[in-house]
Amino acid sequence: MNRHLRKAAVATAAITAGLLMAACQNGTGDSSSGKSAAGAAAVAEKASDLKPGSKAKGVSGSFKNGEVSYLAPGKYIVSVPGKGDQQFLVADDTEVYGVGTICGEAGSKVDAPCTPDQLEAATKKDAVGADVEMQNGIATLVTERRAAQQEAGSGSGSGSRETVVEGIDEGKGVSGTWFGNVSYLAPGKYTVSDMKGVEQQFLVAEDTEIWGYGDICGDTNTGEGGQGGTECTEAELETAAKKGFTAEVVISNGIATTLRDDH
């Protein structure tokens, strides 16, 4: 009788020990894969889902007058007054432009193309004032804003970003005719130099007349029997401007009304 009781007690103790071991193992697993691990996995999954070509639908839109801060490699946040904070990713093909903080020179009138590494280095030091264009949660364009003192007092032909881009709706964009080298800055955004080499930024609209005589498009033979001036597309203008060419550009309120390449 005692032997049977001892065997039953031993069996019960073994079962209890097994249950306690399983509970400890489960507790340990929960601890190692708790909120921090789950959060990291969620971030990784989110970043994977937002890669170009995926079916995920990230946030898209323009975030003007923002402050861009660093969160993690390739991951940032833009804080916009009235809109709050928005996280975004930076891809290899994200276009980044600086005017002294991210890269480039603070006194320059032309935005300098920067690398994603330069953006990371700058935002690790402090938040950078910049505008962000976002598509599916990934930045397509990050443009550092000029300091207020650099924009103040700028007049026609100054090339200030404020008068060219932000002030267009207020009628403060530059107007005039420039003849010089045309260069590409960003989608729909270009510069043209003057006789002194000073560059003026301008935008291209849907109704901008773009005429080519061999540089943008068209034929260099403008004489009798030649093709003459040909109306070009904005895609052809962008391709030519990335290489550089000379042209006459008529600008009204910061937007090119007519652009003719120098034949």
Side-chain angles (χ1 to χ4, degrees):
M1 183 66 174
N2 289 335
R3 284 199 301 271
H4 290 304
L5 287 175
R6 284 197 297 271
K7 288 182 180 179
V10 171
T12 301
I15 292 171
T16 302
L19 291 174
L20 288 173
M21 184 177 296
C24 290
Q25 290 174 346
N26 289 337
T28 303
D30 290 343
S31 174
S32 63
S33 59
K35 290 184 178 180
S36 60
V43 169
E45 182 179 356
K46 187 69 175 175
S48 176
D49 289 343
L50 291 177
K51 289 181 179 179
S54 70
K55 296 180 180 179
K57 294 183 179 180
V59 175
S60 299
S62 298
F63 296 82
K64 303 292 185 182
N65 301 314
E67 294 288 327
V68 175
S69 303
Y70 175 83
L71 283 180
K75 188 175 183 181
Y76 301 81
I77 188 168
V78 57
S79 303
V80 178
K83 288 187 177 181
D85 298 343
Q86 176 59 54
Q87 294 184 23
F88 66 93
L89 304 178
V90 167
D92 291 339
D93 58 352
T94 298
E95 294 188 55
V96 182
Y97 291 91
V99 288
T101 301
I102 302 176
C103 74
E105 298 180 5
S108 174
K109 294 182 175 64
V110 181
D111 298 348
C114 312
T115 66
D117 288 342
Q118 288 173 316
L119 172 64
E120 179 175 316
T123 52
K124 276 183 174 179
K125 296 178 182 178
D126 197 3
V128 176
D131 300 335
V132 180
E133 297 290 334
M134 208 176 298
Q135 182 66 39
N136 196 28
I138 300 175
T140 58
L141 177 64
V142 178
T143 308
E144 179 188 344
R145 290 194 311 282
R146 278 181 166 76
Q149 62 268 26
Q150 294 175 12
E151 296 174 353
S154 59
S156 177
S158 68
S160 116
R161 183 177 180 276
E162 190 274 335
T163 55
V164 174
V165 181
E166 297 173 354
I168 285 178
D169 290 337
E170 301 174 15
K172 295 192 298 181
V174 298
S175 298
T177 300
W178 280 260
F179 183 85
N181 188 64
V182 174
S183 301
Y184 172 83
L185 279 181
K189 187 177 180 182
Y190 302 82
T191 65
V192 57
S193 62
D194 61 15
M195 297 295 291
K196 296 180 181 180
V198 178
E199 294 181 302
Q200 170 60 51
Q201 294 183 31
F202 65 92
L203 305 179
V204 170
E206 292 180 357
D207 57 352
T208 299
E209 294 186 16
I210 306 170
W211 293 93
Y213 296 83
D215 288 331
I216 305 174
C217 70
D219 196 332
T220 56
N221 181 10
T222 58
E224 185 177 352
Q227 184 179 11
T230 302
E231 192 162 7
C232 311
T233 65
E234 186 176 344
E236 290 173 321
L237 169 63
E238 181 174 315
T239 299
K242 285 180 177 179
K243 299 176 182 178
F245 65 93
T246 56
E248 178 187 78
V249 184
V250 180
I251 302 173
S252 177
N253 192 29
I255 302 175
T257 57
T258 306
L259 191 152
R260 301 175 184 272
D261 74 42
D262 177 27
H263 58 284

